[in-house]
Amino acid sequence: LYVGLNAYPTRDSYKYVAAGDSGTYQAVDIDNGEAGTYYAAVFPRPGNLGTSIFFISASTDNTMLQSGTPQDGRLSREGSFFFVHSSTKQDLEISVQPKDELYSKDLQFSVFVSTTKNKPSASDNDFSATLKEGDVLRIPTVESRSCSQVYAQAATCVLYINVVPASAADSGKAFTIVASSPETIKQLQNRVVTKEAFNGSLKWAYYESYVSKAATKYVIELEPCIGETDLYVSYKATKPTESSSTWNSKRDDALDIIEINE
């Protein structure tokens, strides 16, 4: 098992490595690692090509927040850590509220945000605020040069968030956190179907998706259930239209499919 930071690893070039005996559990444990994109590569031992079977998984202390989607957590003195992909062209709003209505009036949360450190704290953060139910921490548009540069070319910044009880006595209490932009663009997850409906106020539905540099093909499918819909895709415009899209599909009575092989 080889791991690279912001680059694909090889047997000769890597950031971390775990090489155990055949049939043994191998792990790469990265403590206080640098912000960036980590790539994992598994190579068969000499002589095992075509005969090796393995399972691989990855985990982090930071829970990913989907823009606009509530995420539950539980207060602790050490903190509850999250991260979110935020557009460098929009502000980000973070709100935290108690799960139990009994504490809604008195419970306060200390929120720390960093563009580079995955575990921001009171002494090491870029943005901070003490919030109660109904309050919002608004983070102004973050420029790419101040981010971890993970998705700089996609005009997207990774923000790391830590929620700590303002009073140590509140440790153990449950909360809900939401991070969203005023004009939220939903994220499409790989092979996860998303359902949407148009109404009188919704004229467009916007989404974004992250594609690995190693991907050889990217396919987007739009299936209309009632009525007709058109699909527009761009790797430059955050809100593509017919004139600003790089690819589009406007088929009637059929599945709209865009297949990108570039």
Side-chain angles (χ1 to χ4, degrees):
L1 174 62
Y2 299 84
V3 178
L5 175 59
N6 296 325
Y8 294 110
T10 66
R11 292 183 187 274
D12 301 317
S13 178
Y14 53 83
K15 182 75 171 180
Y16 306 95
V17 62
D21 295 330
S22 177
T24 62
Y25 173 79
Q26 301 178 34
V28 171
D29 192 358
I30 304 172
D31 291 322
N32 299 315
E34 302 174 52
T37 301
Y38 287 83
Y39 298 93
V42 179
F43 297 108
R45 293 289 179 82
N48 287 343
L49 186 62
T51 62
S52 298
I53 300 174
F54 63 91
F55 297 93
I56 184 171
S57 63
S59 61
T60 176
D61 291 336
N62 296 63
T63 300
M64 182 176 181
L65 297 178
Q66 302 294 331
S67 183
T69 303
Q71 175 68 48
D72 292 340
R74 191 167 295 275
L75 293 172
S76 69
R77 295 184 179 182
E78 295 75 22
S80 299
F81 300 97
F82 306 88
F83 73 95
V84 64
H85 293 147
S86 176
S87 170
T88 58
K89 298 180 180 179
Q90 293 181 320
D91 293 354
L92 184 74
E93 296 180 345
I94 299 174
S95 62
V96 187
Q97 62 182 21
K99 289 278 290 182
D100 193 330
E101 294 182 359
L102 293 175
Y103 308 116
S104 60
K105 294 183 179 180
D106 303 319
L107 191 57
Q108 293 186 325
F109 311 90
S110 295
V111 180
F112 309 108
V113 182
S114 174
T115 59
T116 56
K117 302 297 179 62
N118 65 341
K119 292 187 177 181
S121 63
S123 59
D124 190 1
N125 67 78
D126 297 307
F127 310 94
S128 65
T130 299
L131 305 178
K132 61 181 183 297
E133 185 176 26
D135 290 343
V136 172
L137 169 58
R138 190 179 183 101
I139 298 175
T141 301
V142 181
E143 296 183 4
S144 296
R145 64 172 178 268
S146 66
C147 299
S148 59
Q149 300 297 328
V150 181
Y151 295 107
Q153 293 182 349
T156 304
C157 183
V158 177
L159 294 179
Y160 300 96
I161 306 168
N162 184 13
V163 180
V164 180
S167 171
D170 290 324
S171 292
K173 294 178 180 177
F175 66 89
T176 299
I177 181 173
V178 177
S180 62
S181 298
E183 297 181 11
T184 297
I185 299 179
K186 298 180 180 179
Q187 294 177 0
L188 291 180
Q189 301 301 311
N190 189 35
R191 299 185 184 278
V192 177
V193 177
T194 299
K195 182 179 180 181
E196 190 73 80
F198 287 105
N199 53 42
S201 59
L202 182 61
K203 298 181 179 179
W204 294 85
Y206 295 105
Y207 305 90
E208 62 184 8
S209 181
Y210 299 94
V211 183
S212 169
K213 292 181 179 179
T216 57
K217 181 172 66 174
Y218 182 60
V219 180
I220 306 172
E221 297 183 358
L222 173 64
E223 181 180 4
C225 298
I226 300 175
E228 293 294 340
T229 53
D230 297 324
L231 178 61
Y232 302 96
V233 179
S234 173
Y235 66 92
K236 293 182 179 180
T238 56
K239 294 183 177 181
T241 63
E242 184 172 6
S243 59
S244 66
S245 62
T246 310
W247 305 272
N248 64 72
S249 177
K250 299 182 287 184
R251 303 173 63 187
D252 295 332
D253 301 319
L255 188 70
D256 283 304
I257 300 177
I258 292 179
E259 183 173 316
I260 303 171
N261 298 290
E262 301 177 18

